[in-house]
Amino acid sequence: MRERQSLYFELLGSFSYGYIEDGKVSESGTVLKTGRKTRSFLQYFIIHHERSISSEELLEEFWPGHDGASADTLRRMLFKIRKLLKNMFPEQENLLLTLPGCYVWNPEVCLELDTRRFEMACMEAGKHSGEEQERQLLLAVSLYKGDFLLDNDNDWTMGLRQYYRALYLDACRALLLLLGKKEKWTEILGICEQAYRIDFAVEDFTVCAMEALIAMGQPEQAIEKYEAFKEKMLEELGLPPTGRAEQMYILAMGLRRRSTGAPDIFKLLCEENGEEKAFFCTFEMFQGVVALERRHLARTEEKSALAIVGLEGGDTSSTDMRRLERILSEGLRAGDPVARLGADSYIFMLTGADTERARLVTGRLDRAFHKTYRHSKARLTYHIAPLWPEQKEK
């Protein structure tokens, strides 16, 4: 018995076609030399190849209100489509059949679409876990070569484009979670780069890429990625990055300083550029930065410290607190995270510092405060504690 013919269309990214042989696509070509409306007409038939399409539906979709279009207009368009299909698949006959009042694909010819394969891979991934889930997600991500029929701006494509894009972004998130557990940093960077091109405004992918670069010992590249992301967000949307990206940026800044090999923080502070200041943030953001640093410490066995500085006496409600904030801003290293705890205290983190070095820093801050504001009656108090690494699961 003669096997049914299988034709293949790629609709994610460029509009291309080919045959299916032994489960693989062969003789792929791209549809270029045709008008936009003719191409969209053919694409509409391909997407709805599993059902019949009435003349009224086609007239309403492509000639809204019919706008002077008639049955003759439709027949001329169908003639173009059949001729185009013949050029694409010379060995095929009667791919598009005319029935009373409607049109259908020849049931003897099987069509396979990359959109269907992509959708099935996403669905299969949701049914499994572990290795099989990862395999299906990798397949789905590899099939998504770009947004659905990106060069087609007809109304009928808009909903489908958003649907497939949402599926893709969800698949990327799920895949990155699995790859992160296995510390497959190179693969993570590839997924993030591809997803960023599809939708740069989804911050998850920039954050994951920065985390991968940091884990690979490349904090400088993580900083560059953050700065590029921030510039694009401000330019395109007028919005700054949120706290998660800021947290990764602070961590990368701290790691970059560690790589300089300075013997201690005191010396590092003396050499710091005076125009660069500490990073003031909310306490919630500060908690996130600390959590990231604890994860890093668990991998590297390095040391970091926390310090609380408070005011006693003086004008703690306003003047002296503003003075203390200035001392912290200018006296700490660029990017050192600082958060306000209450009306009279701040907490900050010193990456790469043990408690002894942290005391050097607080001593320097104390001297700077009293030298700059020698008439202030305020007294600074300090509490220093080592930052413990995150406990690894057994």
Side-chain angles (χ1 to χ4, degrees):
M1 181 177 178
R2 180 184 172 186
E3 292 185 3
R4 297 176 69 192
Q5 295 288 331
S6 293
L7 310 183
Y8 185 71
F9 288 96
E10 287 188 352
L11 308 174
L12 298 172
S14 63
F15 177 40
S16 59
Y17 62 92
Y19 288 95
I20 297 289
E21 293 182 3
D22 299 325
K24 297 181 180 180
V25 181
S26 63
E27 301 181 28
S28 180
T30 303
V31 182
L32 295 174
K33 296 181 179 179
T34 183
R36 294 175 67 88
K37 191 165 192 174
T38 302
R39 187 163 59 248
S40 178
F41 201 85
L42 172 59
Q43 291 165 346
Y44 190 84
F45 268 98
I46 292 169
I47 283 293
H48 301 290
H49 70 277
E50 294 179 329
R51 67 176 179 87
S52 61
I53 304 176
S54 68
S55 301
E56 290 76 10
E57 178 182 342
L58 292 169
L59 288 169
E60 285 296 335
E61 188 64 54
F62 291 93
W63 296 275
H66 292 194
D67 195 25
S70 63
D72 286 339
T73 305
L74 182 56
R75 280 194 291 270
R76 285 194 293 272
M77 177 60 78
L78 287 163
F79 175 79
K80 292 181 182 178
I81 295 302
R82 288 190 170 101
K83 184 177 180 181
L84 182 58
L85 285 169
K86 187 63 178 176
N87 290 334
M88 294 163 63
F89 304 104
E91 298 178 359
Q92 301 296 319
E93 298 289 343
N94 301 319
L95 287 176
L96 205 57
L97 304 180
T98 302
L99 300 181
C102 66
Y103 306 91
V104 297
W105 281 90
N106 188 334
E108 295 298 318
V109 179
C110 179
L111 264 66
E112 285 197 43
L113 311 182
D114 64 340
T115 51
R116 181 59 177 165
R117 288 186 171 189
F118 167 72
E119 194 174 22
M120 290 299 296
C122 291
M123 292 173 61
E124 284 299 311
K127 298 176 184 178
H128 300 278
S129 61
E131 295 296 331
E132 180 60 21
Q133 182 184 27
E134 182 179 330
R135 190 180 73 83
Q136 292 293 339
L137 289 171
L138 284 169
L139 173 61
V141 169
S142 69
L143 286 167
Y144 199 93
K145 299 177 181 177
D147 282 334
F148 174 77
L149 297 178
L150 193 54
D151 65 342
N152 188 333
D153 56 4
N154 284 73
D155 290 343
W156 68 268
T157 65
M158 302 303 175
L160 288 169
R161 186 171 301 142
Q162 291 302 317
Y163 167 69
Y164 290 122
R165 175 184 280 202
L167 273 185
Y168 167 71
L169 296 177
D170 285 344
C172 286
R173 291 187 183 95
L175 181 56
L176 289 171
L177 187 61
L178 294 176
L179 295 175
K181 291 178 179 178
K182 296 181 178 181
E183 300 186 355
K184 294 184 176 181
W185 308 121
T186 302
E187 290 88 338
I188 286 173
L189 286 176
I191 300 298
C192 290
E193 187 68 30
Q194 180 182 340
Y196 184 88
R197 289 196 296 268
I198 297 299
D199 193 343
F200 78 90
V202 180
E203 192 170 280
D204 296 354
F205 306 123
T206 295
V207 170
C208 283
M210 291 176 68
E211 184 176 17
L213 288 167
I214 289 171
M216 295 168 69
Q218 301 174 21
E220 193 71 45
Q221 287 85 337
I223 292 168
E224 291 175 3
K225 187 166 288 291
Y226 167 83
E227 291 172 345
F229 173 67
K230 181 179 180 180
E231 182 179 354
K232 193 169 181 66
M233 285 288 290
L234 291 172
E235 180 181 345
E236 299 288 336
L237 303 177
L239 297 171
T242 66
R244 292 181 62 222
E246 295 280 8
Q247 291 166 11
M248 296 305 302
Y249 171 70
I250 294 168
L251 179 59
M253 288 288 288
L255 294 175
R256 182 177 69 172
R257 285 193 297 269
R258 286 177 187 164
S259 66
T260 62
D264 54 51
I265 286 183
F266 183 76
K267 180 179 178 181
L268 201 68
L269 285 170
C270 292
E271 296 173 351
E272 194 70 55
N273 186 334
E275 296 181 357
E276 297 182 340
K277 301 179 185 298
F279 180 82
F280 283 79
C281 59
T282 65
F283 184 72
E284 181 181 9
M285 187 184 295
F286 185 85
Q287 286 179 301
V289 174
V290 169
L292 289 170
E293 178 65 7
R294 290 184 66 206
R295 290 171 59 187
H296 174 77
L297 295 178
R299 291 197 297 264
T300 63
E301 298 183 356
E302 296 178 358
K303 294 182 179 181
S304 290
L306 297 174
I308 297 174
V309 56
L311 279 172
E312 290 185 359
D315 186 3
T316 58
S317 63
S318 57
T319 305
D320 280 324
M321 280 300 287
R322 288 196 297 271
R323 291 170 174 173
L324 175 58
E325 182 175 322
R326 179 183 174 186
I327 293 298
L328 293 174
S329 176
E330 297 178 354
L332 294 173
R333 297 169 301 177
D336 276 341
V338 184
R340 189 161 182 169
L341 287 179
D344 58 357
S345 61
Y346 283 94
I347 185 170
F348 54 90
M349 182 175 73
L350 298 170
T351 57
D354 57 18
T355 53
E356 183 179 348
R357 290 178 177 178
R359 289 190 187 93
L360 288 174
V361 175
T362 55
R364 177 180 171 83
L365 294 173
D366 193 80
R367 290 191 296 274
F369 183 88
H370 292 294
K371 181 178 180 181
T372 306
Y373 307 109
R374 56 184 63 183
H375 299 296
S376 173
K377 297 179 181 180
R379 182 171 66 88
L380 302 187
T381 62
Y382 302 96
H383 299 278
I384 298 171
L387 183 61
W388 301 107
E390 184 181 71
Q391 295 296 316
K392 297 181 180 180
E393 295 182 3
K394 296 182 179 179

